[in-house]
Amino acid sequence: MSDIFRKLLVPQETEYFVVNHNFIIEETSSAVQRFADTAGEALPGVDARICFPELIGVENILTSIIIGQRSSFQVKGIARFTDNNHPLYFDLLVIEHENNEAQEEAAERRPSKLLILIEDSTEKMVMKQSLIQRANEANLLVRALEASRDYIDKVIISMGDALLVTTTLGIIKTVNQSAQLLFGYTESEIVEQPLSMIVVEETLLYQARHHYILSQEELVRELEVVCTTKTGAEIWVEFSCAAIQTELKGLYDFVYIGRDVTERKQQEIEIRRSLAREQELRDVKSRFFSMLAHEFGNPLNTVLFSTQILKEYGDEITIQEKKEYLEHIQSASKHMAQLLDDVRLLSSAEAGKLKFNPTPVDLKSFCNDLVESIKISFGKNHAVCFIYRRVMSRVRLINNSYDESKKLPAMDKKLLRHILTNLLSNGIKYSPIDSNVYFELHCYDEEAIFKIKDEGIGIPIEDQEQLFESYYRAQNVGKIPGTGLGLSIVKQCVDLHGGQIEFSSETGLGTTFIVTIPYYKSKQID
């Protein structure tokens, strides 16, 4: 081999051997033996195909190089596995052998030889295989990740519960289909929007997020908050929250899984209302029995005491005293009868059995008679001032021949008496002695307006909302007797007439009730 080749090959740690046209080895480098298929066979005089079987089957290619038809032939990555833990790889390059100048003349008289170069590529091949293995492992991880992501996406899509993922600041990053259906927004409409867009009480979730960041304690579970849909409807949603560590240490995303519990909350609210109504009913019953005991107790005691006096001392007392005791008995009996009548009337009204029987009534005469009756029964220490006003339409003013006495409005006299008697008696009962009670009647073409005004104790503003409830009495009535049924009966009777009742009151300055009742129908009086 020429000195030039030796100088080129030594730095590259390349081995070589030279073969003739019959592929017989004529010359080798010192370390070529370790690349041979069988150790110790790569020697001069040995057929190169025995120790390098990679040359078998390519003789034609090698011959074409010898005769100058081809410049080179190369085989890369040839493996020798003498030790499974330490494989050997090399590249083989075949080129035409260059003769020395002194031998050129002789070379012209014989065929050329082949120079076969061997380069150790073990490190390169091992690295390549390692890279390929890592690439394969990475591909497997990517495929596993993609499969896992696809699996998770399918789970999220098929979830019946709404799922939202937000940043630490509460900006929505991800929503599933159930969340879109629940809140009425499309994915593009809700992503990148603040969570407060749908959660009315987002402050609770905000505090929960920051509490977790600071304390690393478990997030809240089953937190019920009010949310709004795209249409503006309010719904109750029960959220479970969890934190997810992002790629950046200390930075979290938050997952909210919620379900619509509006129906359950409504049922709970209704149950609480029912319980409150039940409690209220128990309170009402308690007040009712307490009222009965009190309201019946006094007149009963009066009757029993008066009858005992008359029985035991009837022969000793004067006629005037007997008359007074009998009046006490009569008054107490009327009071108990009125109380029973009120209870029966209210029970009938609440059961829907109270009848409405309108008949023609001369309101002026009716109210005059009622006022006189009130004065006899209740008005000994009060003045009841009755005022009647007839407001005629323009047609009646022009038509002088119109006789209003021929036509009377139709109302239920029994119910009307209950209305006015209760209002007038209350005006007297809750007013100081020697004060005035004003009663006005305004008759129009289609309705009558009754106005009762007193100068009594008034109704506290905190009691006014419940004034027409059964058995309810204002806080300032003190020891003034009463059942709490009167105004409830008045309201029922007004409603049966299709009318309205209004009032205005100020504590210590009296109360004014205004009752408006439309005429049911008009009947001709014969």
Side-chain angles (χ1 to χ4, degrees):
M1 184 178 180
S2 67
D3 293 336
I4 295 175
F5 271 122
R6 287 189 179 94
K7 291 179 181 179
L8 290 172
L9 296 178
V10 170
Q12 297 181 8
E13 298 182 359
T14 302
E15 305 299 330
Y16 74 92
F17 63 95
V18 179
V19 299
N20 62 20
H21 66 284
N22 291 322
F23 310 117
I24 301 301
I25 299 174
E26 293 186 351
E27 181 183 352
T28 68
S29 62
S30 60
V32 77
Q33 293 294 335
R34 73 187 186 94
F35 297 102
D37 186 52
T38 303
E41 289 186 350
L43 300 170
V46 177
D47 190 329
R49 290 172 292 185
I50 295 175
C51 47
F52 291 96
E54 292 79 19
L55 300 177
I56 297 174
V58 296
E59 289 87 353
N60 290 337
I61 297 174
L62 300 177
T63 301
S64 66
I65 296 174
I66 292 175
I67 63 178
Q69 292 180 350
R70 188 180 178 124
S71 61
S72 65
F73 172 70
Q74 187 174 19
V75 180
K76 289 189 174 184
I78 299 172
R80 294 283 187 264
F81 293 97
T82 56
D83 185 352
N84 290 333
N85 295 324
H86 298 89
L88 174 66
Y89 295 94
F90 63 92
D91 296 337
L92 189 148
L93 176 63
V94 182
I95 59 176
E96 184 183 2
H97 179 55
E98 297 180 358
N99 295 317
N100 294 330
E101 293 180 358
Q103 298 174 337
E104 286 181 358
E105 184 177 350
E108 290 177 355
R109 294 193 298 270
R110 68 175 183 270
S112 299
K113 300 176 183 180
L114 293 175
L115 175 63
I116 300 176
L117 305 174
I118 298 174
E119 182 181 357
D120 188 344
S121 62
T122 302
E123 184 178 354
K124 181 174 66 176
M125 287 300 295
V126 170
M127 185 178 295
K128 184 178 179 180
Q129 289 176 356
S130 177
L131 290 174
I132 292 173
Q133 182 178 357
R134 291 182 182 181
N136 290 335
E137 290 174 353
N139 287 332
L140 290 174
L141 288 174
V142 169
R143 291 175 184 173
L145 180 61
E146 290 176 349
S148 177
R149 184 175 297 170
D150 181 63
Y151 177 80
I152 292 172
D153 288 343
K154 288 179 179 178
V155 170
I156 291 174
I157 291 172
S158 62
M159 283 178 61
D161 292 337
L163 179 139
L164 302 98
V165 181
T166 74
T167 65
T168 303
L169 297 177
I171 303 301
I172 298 172
K173 295 176 62 176
T174 304
V175 292
N176 68 348
Q177 189 173 2
S178 294
Q180 297 173 49
L181 293 173
L182 178 60
F183 299 111
Y185 291 98
T186 63
E187 185 175 8
S188 60
E189 289 175 329
I190 198 170
V191 170
E192 300 299 331
Q193 297 298 323
L195 188 59
S196 58
M197 176 181 179
I198 56 174
V199 181
V200 175
E201 301 173 354
E202 203 272 333
T203 304
L204 295 175
L205 301 181
Y206 176 85
Q207 293 173 346
R209 291 195 300 270
H210 284 269
H211 179 71
Y212 174 82
I213 293 172
L214 295 174
S215 65
Q216 297 295 307
E217 295 179 358
E218 185 179 5
L219 279 167
V220 292
R221 301 281 181 179
E222 299 180 355
L223 178 64
E224 295 178 352
V225 295
V226 179
C227 299
T228 55
T229 65
K230 185 177 180 180
T231 60
E234 289 192 348
I235 58 175
W236 280 91
V237 179
E238 181 183 83
F239 280 112
S240 292
C241 311
I244 301 176
Q245 174 70 58
T246 63
E247 297 84 355
L248 300 176
K249 186 176 180 180
L251 188 62
Y252 299 90
D253 285 343
F254 291 86
V255 179
Y256 301 94
I257 298 176
R259 63 179 55 186
D260 187 356
V261 294
T262 305
E263 184 176 351
R264 190 189 74 193
K265 290 296 292 185
Q266 290 175 342
Q267 290 175 350
E268 291 177 0
I269 291 171
E270 187 58 36
I271 289 173
R272 284 197 292 269
R273 286 177 180 170
S274 298
L275 291 174
R277 285 195 295 266
E278 185 177 345
Q279 181 61 43
E280 184 180 355
L281 182 59
R282 285 197 293 266
D283 293 341
V284 166
K285 288 181 178 178
S286 177
R287 291 200 304 269
F288 173 69
F289 289 119
S290 176
M291 176 272 299
L292 282 181
H294 181 267
E295 291 300 316
F296 275 102
N298 288 337
L300 277 175
N301 288 334
T302 300
V303 171
L304 290 174
F305 177 76
S306 298
T307 53
Q308 186 177 5
I309 292 295
L310 291 172
K311 180 180 179 181
E312 295 180 2
Y313 304 101
D315 296 333
E316 300 177 9
I317 60 177
T318 64
I319 296 176
Q320 181 61 34
E321 289 175 332
K322 288 182 180 179
K323 183 179 179 182
E324 290 178 359
Y325 283 121
L326 289 173
E327 286 178 354
H328 290 324
I329 294 172
Q330 185 180 26
S331 176
S333 300
K334 284 183 178 180
H335 180 72
M336 290 188 290
Q338 181 63 44
L339 179 60
L340 290 173
D341 188 46
D342 287 346
V343 173
R344 284 196 297 268
L345 185 65
L346 184 62
S347 298
S348 298
E350 291 178 346
K353 297 179 180 180
L354 191 59
K355 302 300 183 182
F356 175 58
N357 299 310
T359 56
V361 56
D362 184 341
L363 291 176
K364 181 181 179 182
S365 177
F366 179 86
C367 290
N368 272 321
D369 294 341
L370 182 63
V371 168
E372 292 302 317
S373 175
I374 290 292
K375 287 180 179 179
I376 295 172
S377 300
F378 305 100
K380 295 179 181 179
N381 299 315
H382 298 79
V384 180
C385 305
F386 175 61
I387 301 172
Y388 169 74
R389 290 189 176 91
R390 175 69 187 178
V391 182
M392 298 178 63
S393 65
R394 185 176 179 182
V395 174
R396 295 187 179 181
L397 290 173
I398 295 174
N399 186 5
N400 295 325
S401 63
Y402 180 83
D403 186 1
E404 62 177 273
S405 65
K406 296 291 186 180
K407 196 171 187 180
L408 296 174
M411 295 184 184
D412 188 310
K413 293 181 181 180
K414 181 180 178 181
L415 300 183
L416 183 60
R417 184 177 298 278
H418 278 292
I419 295 170
L420 299 178
T421 300
N422 270 291
L423 293 178
L424 287 169
S425 61
N426 280 351
I428 293 172
K429 182 165 60 174
Y430 296 110
S431 296
I433 295 174
D434 296 330
S435 63
N436 295 321
V437 175
Y438 301 93
F439 177 26
E440 296 181 17
L441 169 61
H442 300 262
C443 292
Y444 296 86
D445 289 340
E446 301 296 334
E447 64 185 11
I449 296 178
F450 304 88
K451 182 177 180 182
I452 294 105
K453 179 181 180 182
D454 64 54
E455 299 172 342
I457 61 176
I459 304 167
I461 190 168
E462 59 269 21
D463 294 318
Q464 293 182 9
E465 187 176 348
Q466 298 173 276
L467 194 61
F468 295 108
E469 294 181 7
S470 301
Y471 314 113
Y472 187 84
R473 303 190 72 200
Q475 302 173 18
N476 61 339
V477 296
K479 296 183 178 180
I480 301 174
T483 64
L485 298 177
L487 290 178
S488 178
I489 294 173
V490 168
K491 184 68 169 60
Q492 297 279 356
C493 295
V494 171
D495 289 343
L496 284 172
H497 276 90
Q500 292 182 338
I501 181 169
E502 301 171 310
F503 70 92
S504 60
S505 182
E506 188 172 349
T507 305
L509 298 178
T511 303
T512 300
F513 280 92
I514 298 176
V515 177
T516 303
I517 297 180
Y519 302 150
Y520 178 73
K521 60 183 178 178
S522 297
K523 292 185 178 181
Q524 194 70 28
I525 303 299
D526 296 334

